């Protein structure tokens, strides 16, 4: 069956995209990327342009030669010398980058920041269909050895401590019955009890995906996450929220009168409810509550995720159930969130042995 001839819609060329189609493709790519990722990409590309302009005296163009990527690494990665740690970025350029706001402080970049900026340059080449210098064997070998060098010096970032049940209870006690206190209690318990949600998932939690299933029970449909960016319907998308967490969530929804949109929002002066919280605000709430509770350790928003995994292990929750809640598909990945604590005595295999007499 053939369609009738169309008079008002011109036929497209199958070998090439029209300008309108190209814009639509770019719009979909942009919409499908997270806001935080786009911000970090733009920041990294601005830095590449600024560094390249200062280092080579010309505007950056893709593809970037492999030699430039190697130079970028040695400019920004510390290495051990007879005189101590050193990197190759000239102090004059370093000062100019900091003064212009492209760089936060003088000195080498943190290892994670360096790797992220290389990854963003690689992505730019991939999108532009250019030969990718970041895939050059020399670059890959240098990055591999650089990571090992940082690891030997103990310079890689430490994983965040786990907010297991005991420290979690301590920070919950800092949440009073003010509007902010009610919100923070609900937010922390929602994030922890639903499987250790990432801060971006907490910030984007929407009431349309929340279903009340009982007096003290909800079911939250995590339709989009880091491990399910296609929004596929899966059994593990549905996160049960029971008991204290459900009670705290009910209290927040009652006091905030939220019936649509973001669940967790800013509380303005006078207790007025504002716009949705940002992922950074979620992090700040967790850190603030840890500080108020006076608990020692390296805690942040991700501590809720490692805390849930660790507590589940301590309470002998089957690993399959833990993974269903966290959304992990890899055993090795979920085990990477487990933190050895004082309560975990599994390594003391000789605790019941009698000394020789």
């Amino acid at each position: 069956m053939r369609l009738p001839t169309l008079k008002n819609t011109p036929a497209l060329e199958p070998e090439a995209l029209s300008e309108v189609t190209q814009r639509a493709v770019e719009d979909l790519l942009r919409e499908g990327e997270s806001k935080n990722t786009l911000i970090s990409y733009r920041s990294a590309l601005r830095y590449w342009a600024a560094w390249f302009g200062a280092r080579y005296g010309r505007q950056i163009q893709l593809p970037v030669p492999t030699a430039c990527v190697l130079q970028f690494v040695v400019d920004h990665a510390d290495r051990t010398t007879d005189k101590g740690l050193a990197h190759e970025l000239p102090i004059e350029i370093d000062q100019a980058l900091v003064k212009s706001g492209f760089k936060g402080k003088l000195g080498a970049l943190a290892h994670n920041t360096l790797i992220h900026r290389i990854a963003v340059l690689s992505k730019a080449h991939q999108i532009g269909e250019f030969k990718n210098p970041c895939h050059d064997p020399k670059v890959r070998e240098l990055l591999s050895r650089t990571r090992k060098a940082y690891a030997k010096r103990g310079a890689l970032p430490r994983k965040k401590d786990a907010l297991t049940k005991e420290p979690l209870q301590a920070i919950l006690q800092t949440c009073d019955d003010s509007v902010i206190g009610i919100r923070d209690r609900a937010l922390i318990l929602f994030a922890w009890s639903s499987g250790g949600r990432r801060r971006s998932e907490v910030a984007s939690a929407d009431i349309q995906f929340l279903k009340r299933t009982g007096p003290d029970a909800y079911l939250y449909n995590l339709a989009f996450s880091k491990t399910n960016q296609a929004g596929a319907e899966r059994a593990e998308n549905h996160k049960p929220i029971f008991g204290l967490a459900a009670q705290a969530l009910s209290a927040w929804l009652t006091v905030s009168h939220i019936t649509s949109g973001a669940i967790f929002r800013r509380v303005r002066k006078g207790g007025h409810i504002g716009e949705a919280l940002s992922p950074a605000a979620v992090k700040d709430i967790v850190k603030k509550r840890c500080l108020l509770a006076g608990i020692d350790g390296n805690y942040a928003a991700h501590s809720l995720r490692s805390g849930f995994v660790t507590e589940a292990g301590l309470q002998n929750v089957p690993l399959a159930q833990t993974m269903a809640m966290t959304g992990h598909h890899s055993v090795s990945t979920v085990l990477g969130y487990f933190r050895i604590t004082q309560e975990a005595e599994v390594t003391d295999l000789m605790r019941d042995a009698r000394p020789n007499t």
Side-chain angles (χ1 to χ4, degrees):
M1 180 178 178
R2 295 182 61 183
L3 289 173
T5 302
L6 303 177
K7 298 180 179 179
N8 299 320
T9 305
L12 298 174
E13 292 292 334
E15 293 84 7
L17 295 179
S18 70
E19 184 178 343
V20 172
T21 303
Q22 183 61 45
R23 282 201 304 270
V25 169
E26 292 170 358
D27 287 343
L28 285 170
L29 289 173
R30 185 165 51 251
E31 186 179 357
E33 195 70 83
S34 76
K35 182 180 178 181
N36 288 337
T37 300
L38 288 173
I39 291 172
S40 71
Y41 277 16
R42 288 175 185 141
S43 176
L45 290 173
R46 282 196 297 269
Y47 186 81
W48 267 102
W51 170 83
F52 191 96
R55 207 62 164 110
Y56 297 103
R58 66 184 73 171
Q59 187 174 348
I60 191 171
Q61 289 185 330
L62 301 185
V64 170
T66 299
C68 292
V69 181
L70 295 171
Q71 186 67 53
F72 187 89
V73 174
V74 299
D75 271 5
H76 296 93
D78 269 334
R79 70 184 191 281
T80 303
T81 69
D82 294 339
K83 297 180 180 180
L85 295 178
H87 59 282
E88 293 302 308
L89 187 64
I91 185 62
E92 183 181 18
I93 294 179
D94 203 2
Q95 290 172 340
L97 290 170
V98 171
K99 186 176 180 180
S100 302
F102 293 105
K103 200 163 178 274
K105 61 182 180 180
L106 297 174
L109 296 177
H111 184 264
N112 280 356
T113 304
L114 173 63
I115 296 303
H116 177 262
R117 289 188 174 162
I118 297 294
V120 170
L121 185 73
S122 177
K123 186 73 171 180
H125 281 79
Q126 176 190 332
I127 291 173
E129 298 182 349
F130 295 109
K131 182 180 179 181
N132 196 335
C134 304
H135 291 173
D136 188 281
K138 296 188 185 70
V139 173
R140 290 188 169 186
E141 180 67 13
L142 179 60
L143 291 176
S144 174
R145 297 295 181 93
T146 298
R147 179 177 178 81
K148 291 176 182 177
Y150 272 66
K152 284 182 178 180
R153 295 198 299 267
L156 294 179
R158 290 193 301 120
K159 290 183 176 180
K160 300 302 180 185
D161 292 336
L163 277 171
T164 49
K165 186 177 179 180
E166 185 176 339
L168 184 74
Q169 289 175 323
I171 68 173
L172 290 173
Q173 288 176 4
T174 71
C175 300
D176 57 21
D177 290 330
S178 66
V179 178
I180 290 178
I182 293 171
R183 179 203 63 190
D184 290 359
R185 184 185 298 113
L187 182 152
I188 291 167
L189 281 169
F190 171 88
W192 196 87
S193 66
S194 63
R197 302 273 55 86
R198 301 173 180 88
R199 59 183 185 174
S200 60
E201 294 167 354
V202 175
S204 62
D206 195 292
I207 203 166
Q208 68 174 309
F209 300 119
L210 184 68
K211 179 182 179 181
R212 189 155 200 163
T213 56
D216 289 329
Y218 289 91
L219 196 64
Y220 185 75
N221 181 19
L222 188 67
F224 178 87
S225 66
K226 184 177 180 180
T227 54
N228 185 15
Q229 298 194 21
E233 178 59 32
R234 298 170 180 166
E236 65 264 28
N237 288 359
H238 303 282
K239 312 297 181 184
I241 302 168
F242 297 118
L244 290 176
Q247 293 168 18
L249 186 55
S250 294
W252 165 243
L253 294 177
T254 298
V255 76
S256 65
H257 304 291
I258 293 172
T259 57
S260 64
I263 295 175
F264 299 107
R265 307 189 186 191
R266 288 186 62 184
V267 177
R268 298 188 176 279
K269 200 170 183 179
H272 298 294
I273 307 302
E275 68 275 18
L277 290 173
S278 67
V282 174
K283 174 197 70 175
D284 292 342
I285 287 170
V286 175
K287 291 178 76 71
K288 169 190 170 186
R289 291 297 170 181
C290 289
L291 186 63
L292 288 173
I295 57 175
D296 295 326
N298 181 28
Y299 294 103
H302 223 55
S303 298
L304 295 169
R305 192 161 177 79
S306 56
F308 179 87
V309 172
T310 304
E311 187 63 39
L314 294 174
Q315 296 193 28
N316 297 316
V317 175
L319 187 58
Q321 291 183 23
T322 301
M323 293 175 67
M325 290 295 291
T326 61
H328 287 111
H329 296 154
S330 163
V331 172
S332 61
T333 301
V334 74
L335 289 179
Y337 283 88
F338 187 85
R339 306 286 186 268
I340 297 297
T341 69
Q342 291 179 353
E343 295 86 354
E345 299 179 354
V346 292
T347 55
D348 187 13
L349 300 180
M350 295 292 290
R351 61 181 176 272
D352 295 326
R354 294 181 179 179
N356 292 329
T357 58

